[in-house]
Amino acid sequence: MIAVLTDSTCDLPPQQAHKLGIHILPLTVQIEERALLDWQEIDPDAVYSHMKAGGTASTAPVAVAAFAARYRELLDTHDEVVSVHLSGKLSETVEHARQAAALLNLERRIHVVDSGLASTPLAEAVLAARAALLSGGDPASAVRAAEAVRAQLHAEFSVPSLDYLRRGGRIGRVQALFGNMLGLRPILGFEGGELKALRRCKVDHATDDMLDGLRQRFGNEALCVSVIHAGRDSGRMQALRHAVTSSGLNVRSARMHLMGPAIGAHVGPGTFGFMARPA
């Protein structure tokens, strides 16, 4: 048997991950003096409410000791572990996974993958690894499947306010003021394992801009599309889903995903995005 392990920034709710047989280690979300386990001890909306009230949130990677303990536990009942994680450019989590495997001297049985992704795109990589194993593949094929996802999918995000990026030190105060005054927002995407500003657009044009990008990338190819939103705003999430289904894209399936506490702490409530992958 081969276990699949990931971290909580994949934003798979714990109950869903359990049903899929996917094991998750949580990052830590720091709110004032409290250090809380991502998705386990803190709900996404608790982070967003705190931020809307003017508070800040930060995160800490999964510790080496936590990885070592979970690897020992999994290898008591499994032959090997495929361990797929948040981009090493965004967190030390994947490096801690490698350190734990080396510490245990079990690198031949523990296969650590830097997905180069986060949030729902990371979940896609994890699910691809799981699918490869379920179809009879070995750990090497699961690793290849997870790594291939980065080239196959296209994901972009937009933030409704630059203030949260400014609070986290990701842009300067002047940049935030200038952007907010002009009504401009960055469109963010993954490049080389980093989440970068790809371009800017008017805040009320972001949805159309990102969906246009998907049409340019995939044309009429059949797609699985995910709508990602930071916060349980059902009206907004349904509006985004409707935008996808009426976009002219060849949508084979459309799913809704809630952005979790650890990722949301860095981009703020109301952040949303679209991810597409060939069906």
Side-chain angles (χ1 to χ4, degrees):
M1 290 180 62
I2 302 165
V4 176
L5 176 70
T6 186
D7 60 75
S8 60
T9 63
C10 71
D11 290 339
L12 286 172
Q15 289 184 340
Q16 181 183 356
H18 180 73
K19 289 180 181 178
L20 294 171
I22 294 169
H23 304 271
I24 294 181
L25 276 174
L27 274 73
T28 300
V29 179
Q30 187 78 31
I31 299 279
E32 297 178 345
E33 301 301 317
R34 296 178 295 160
L36 304 166
L37 296 179
D38 187 29
W39 277 104
Q40 294 185 14
E41 296 177 341
I42 187 165
D43 182 79
D45 284 339
V47 173
Y48 302 137
S49 295
H50 175 74
M51 297 176 78
K52 287 177 181 177
T56 59
S58 61
T59 61
V62 181
V64 175
F67 270 115
R70 183 59 64 88
Y71 286 150
R72 287 194 195 97
E73 175 186 313
L74 290 173
L75 290 173
D76 281 343
T77 53
H78 296 78
D79 300 313
E80 299 180 67
V81 179
V82 176
S83 198
V84 186
H85 297 288
L86 167 69
S87 173
K89 297 287 184 66
L90 301 177
S91 169
E92 293 180 335
T93 292
V94 72
E95 179 57 29
H96 289 181
R98 294 191 184 105
Q99 291 176 19
L103 180 68
L104 297 173
N105 196 27
L106 290 171
E107 291 149 300
R108 291 185 178 181
R109 297 178 64 192
I110 300 169
H111 310 272
V112 178
V113 181
D114 182 345
S115 72
L117 302 166
S119 192
T120 304
L122 169 57
E124 285 294 302
V126 174
L127 293 171
R130 173 182 176 270
L133 295 172
L134 289 175
S135 65
D138 60 7
S141 65
V143 169
R144 288 193 298 270
E147 292 176 338
V149 166
R150 195 184 332 181
Q152 296 167 350
L153 65 74
H154 186 71
E156 292 185 345
F157 304 85
S158 180
V159 295
S161 171
L162 299 176
D163 292 338
Y164 303 111
L165 293 175
R166 177 186 60 78
R167 288 184 206 172
R170 287 159 187 80
I171 59 172
R173 183 175 181 180
V174 173
Q175 280 182 292
L177 179 62
F178 182 69
N180 281 331
M181 286 177 62
L182 294 178
L184 296 174
R185 299 293 182 273
I187 300 297
L188 307 172
F190 292 100
E191 279 192 356
E194 296 183 271
L195 192 60
K196 294 183 176 180
L198 305 178
R199 60 190 180 278
R200 291 179 182 274
C201 70
K202 288 285 188 178
V203 64
D204 53 352
H205 294 167
T207 298
D208 291 339
D209 183 282
M210 287 188 283
L211 292 174
D212 283 344
L214 293 181
R215 283 191 290 268
Q216 292 172 19
R217 170 74 179 266
F218 295 107
N220 195 44
E221 188 171 5
L223 300 174
C224 297
V225 180
S226 294
V227 178
I228 308 148
H229 193 268
R232 290 184 179 86
D233 183 337
S234 59
R236 177 61 174 152
M237 293 173 78
Q238 288 305 312
L240 292 171
R241 184 185 180 98
H242 176 73
V244 169
T245 57
S246 61
S247 65
L249 291 166
N250 184 3
V251 180
R252 182 70 57 82
S253 66
R255 296 179 292 180
M256 305 297 300
H257 286 265
L258 185 65
M259 186 177 287
I263 298 299
H266 294 283
V267 294
T271 294
F272 70 97
F274 303 101
M275 182 198 74
R277 185 183 179 203

